[in-house]
Amino acid sequence: MTPKDKQVVLMILGGWGITPAWSGNILNYLNTPHFHNLWKTFFHINIEPFPGKYSFCARQGSEISFANIGTGRINPDEGDQINEAIKSGVFLRHTGIQNAFRSTQGALHIVSLVDTRGKHSRLEHLAGLLIVARGFNVPKIFFHLGLMSGDDPNDRAYYELQKIIRMIEPFPNVEIASLFGSNFVLENDNKIKSIKILFNLLTRGHGLYFNQNFSEIFDRYYQKGGIDNTFPPSALNIDSKIIGRVNAGDTIIIANLKIDSIRPFVKIFDSPNIVGTPFDKKKLSNLKIYTFFNHGMGSKSISIFNRKTIPNPLSKVLSDNKLTQLKIAHIDKKFQIGYYFNGGNFEKYDNENRKVFPISRLDQNWLLGADEIYWDFKKAFLKRSHNFYLVSFSNADLLGHFGDMDIASKAIKKFDNIIGEIANITLERGADLIITADHGNAEEIIEKQTGEHKRYHTTNPVPFIFVSSKNLRPRAESLSLEGDIPPLYNSYTHASIAPTILDLFGLIKPSQMSDEGLITNELPIKNGVN
């Protein structure tokens, strides 16, 4: 059988960690019998999702997991790299940082989300920029801040904003000039209406106005039931004068870390006509736009730090061998299945197709839209339209963040049926199925110490299950057929998955992939015995 005759399916379950059954784990056997039967029946092992020294902030996203899976290597987290540069002093001396401060002919604008989890941005990075500012005679520095908070109602962005306010107190030339909710950035980066609102706020001051009495503003806003992510776009107004708009000759530093929180700002300043309203280009002439890293958007923005794309990720190797790929996911994994899985390469490879589906409201669809993903996958799979399928479901992660044990348990039961259906059709067609997860969450909805809702991703191991009707031998000795949970930690990571997939296709893995595959065709076994 040639590689073109084969079908391999990789199912990535968002927020599906492995831990012994307990009252705070909705992924127990009663709720997920199909998953547990697959675990008992087929080769399985625990994968450590965050090996090494990934910070708490790095673990709050799935980007690094998808990157490690797709490239077959353990990649550094960019936010952690910047933290190390600040601690070591490299940040202060870095040519890219210094060029950004030297480039401005007017004001310096720092655009950043205020993310309480530290996924999209970190206060340490803003503090580092202010330290650098001491050595440059920049007349005015303006912060334009997008407010973002997670699931905890007590974890409000205003608490982080207070830290920024204290941070800028020693700097008389620094002011907070704009505030807006993160939804205008993250959930609408392709919607012209939201881009237009951001553009008009930052350049013209359109929106609501605020003074510098932040405590009064936010007390009133929260009392009315307002949430950070939908905070109305607002501009600083002192004595009836709008302060801190972007003008010709200014410099902008976009201090966000993730591509979905960088792209909207790059778009509006790279191509201001995108907003659809007349705008005098002279008002933005000689404007310099800097980002921490180059995320391959083909824009005029300048990257401060060099970022090397991974030359031969799994998707490229498959494409180079004329194998077709279909990647399907919930829309929140849009960039994970593309940009991050492909090692920082933004464009699709030949024969690579991607589809994303909206997340349904839980009160309207217990499956949160996973049924649409499943039916689209099934239709393509039964037609044998592709060789490799990446199917990503966010259900467990979304339910873990939701936090209601009773509702989440009912919803995960329904989703477990989809896991069983995908396993059945892959077995019937003689295809290979790998089930894994990006990180944990739903296995610990409750804090064991306090009994309260746990609102962050866990560091628990995640599953690796190899579902196949073929006689294939597990390469790793600790791969097992029994139903017991293996030791919680071992040496296997997400980096083993891409080499495993290449082995299944009979392809040679590139040298950049650090780990060996977990399955081999060389020594067939029957009933788990050589």
Side-chain angles (χ1 to χ4, degrees), residues 18-26 405 441-455 458-461 485 488-489:
I18 297 293
T19 191
W22 69 291
S23 59
N25 180 2
I26 67 166
M405 283 290 297
N441 185 350
E443 80 284 5
E444 286 188 17
I445 286 186
I446 303 299
E447 289 276 7
K448 292 182 179 179
Q449 290 79 12
T450 65
E452 297 179 351
H453 176 203
K454 186 169 187 173
R455 302 178 185 275
T458 71
T459 57
N460 291 325
I485 293 177
L488 285 186
Y489 291 100

Side-chain angles (χ1 to χ4, degrees), residues 59-344:
R59 299 195 302 266
Q60 297 316 302
S62 57
E63 290 84 357
I64 197 68
S65 298
F66 276 78
N68 292 346
I69 293 171
T71 62
R73 56 182 284 172
I74 301 303
N75 298 280
D77 176 75
E78 293 172 348
D80 289 352
Q81 287 181 299
I82 295 175
N83 280 14
E84 288 299 318
I86 292 172
K87 290 178 183 178
S88 66
V90 170
F91 190 86
L92 302 178
R93 304 186 301 270
H94 196 278
T95 302
I97 289 285
Q98 294 185 356
N99 287 343
F101 279 84
R102 289 194 187 101
S103 68
T104 185
Q105 301 169 23
L108 174 66
H109 302 267
I110 298 175
V111 179
S112 175
L113 293 186
V114 181
D115 183 356
T116 58
R117 298 171 300 166
K119 171 186 171 182
H120 287 276
S121 63
R122 304 189 191 178
L123 293 188
E124 303 98 301
H125 303 170
L126 302 184
L129 290 172
L130 287 177
I131 293 172
V132 175
R134 292 182 185 275
F136 292 86
N137 188 27
V138 180
K140 294 295 293 185
I141 299 176
F142 297 109
F143 279 91
H144 305 272
L145 303 174
L147 306 179
M148 181 180 186
S149 56
D151 312 303
D152 190 344
N154 298 315
D155 194 19
R156 288 172 168 167
Y158 177 56
Y159 302 140
E160 297 295 291
L161 185 63
Q162 286 179 308
K163 297 176 185 177
I164 297 175
I165 293 169
R166 291 193 293 270
M167 190 190 301
I168 67 177
E169 282 179 354
F171 299 87
N173 63 326
V174 180
E175 292 182 289
I176 296 173
S178 302
L179 296 170
F180 50 90
S182 62
N183 282 8
F184 290 93
V185 182
L186 296 178
E187 295 190 359
N188 299 293
D189 72 325
N190 284 319
K191 294 184 179 179
I192 298 300
K193 181 179 179 181
S194 292
I195 292 177
K196 181 178 178 179
I197 289 172
L198 285 176
F199 181 79
N200 286 332
L201 170 67
L202 299 180
T203 60
R204 294 164 167 160
H206 291 184
L208 301 181
Y209 298 143
F210 66 89
N211 55 29
Q212 293 174 313
N213 190 348
F214 293 104
S215 61
E216 180 182 329
I217 293 168
F218 281 91
D219 282 346
R220 188 165 60 246
Y221 181 67
Y222 290 142
Q223 285 174 6
K224 292 181 178 179
I227 60 175
D228 295 319
N229 298 11
T230 57
F231 191 90
S234 306
L236 176 62
N237 188 312
I238 299 177
D239 297 329
S240 300
K241 183 179 180 181
I242 301 173
I243 306 297
R245 298 309 98 191
V246 177
N247 291 295
D250 288 354
T251 292
I252 301 172
I253 297 178
I254 302 171
N256 294 331
L257 297 170
K258 303 303 181 185
I259 193 168
D260 51 340
S261 55
I262 298 172
R263 283 186 76 201
F265 297 107
V266 172
K267 276 185 177 181
I268 59 178
F269 290 112
D270 221 14
S271 305
N273 290 335
I274 197 172
V275 300
T277 56
F279 191 85
D280 185 356
K281 291 184 178 180
K282 292 181 180 179
K283 290 185 177 181
L284 293 182
S285 61
N286 297 319
L287 185 69
K288 298 289 193 305
I289 307 169
Y290 286 83
T291 59
F292 279 141
F293 292 94
N294 176 16
H295 286 274
M297 290 176 281
S299 70
K300 300 173 185 175
S301 61
I302 304 166
S303 59
I304 292 173
F305 299 101
N306 291 325
R307 182 186 187 280
K308 295 181 179 179
T309 57
I310 308 302
N312 291 297
L314 172 64
S315 292
K316 184 177 187 300
V317 178
L318 296 177
S319 176
D320 288 346
N321 284 275
K322 312 300 182 186
L323 299 181
T324 55
Q325 308 167 59
L326 176 61
K327 300 175 180 179
I328 316 175
H330 278 111
I331 195 168
D332 64 321
K333 297 298 189 292
K334 172 183 176 180
F335 294 110
Q336 281 86 335
I337 65 171
Y339 176 80
Y340 291 101
F341 192 87
N342 286 3

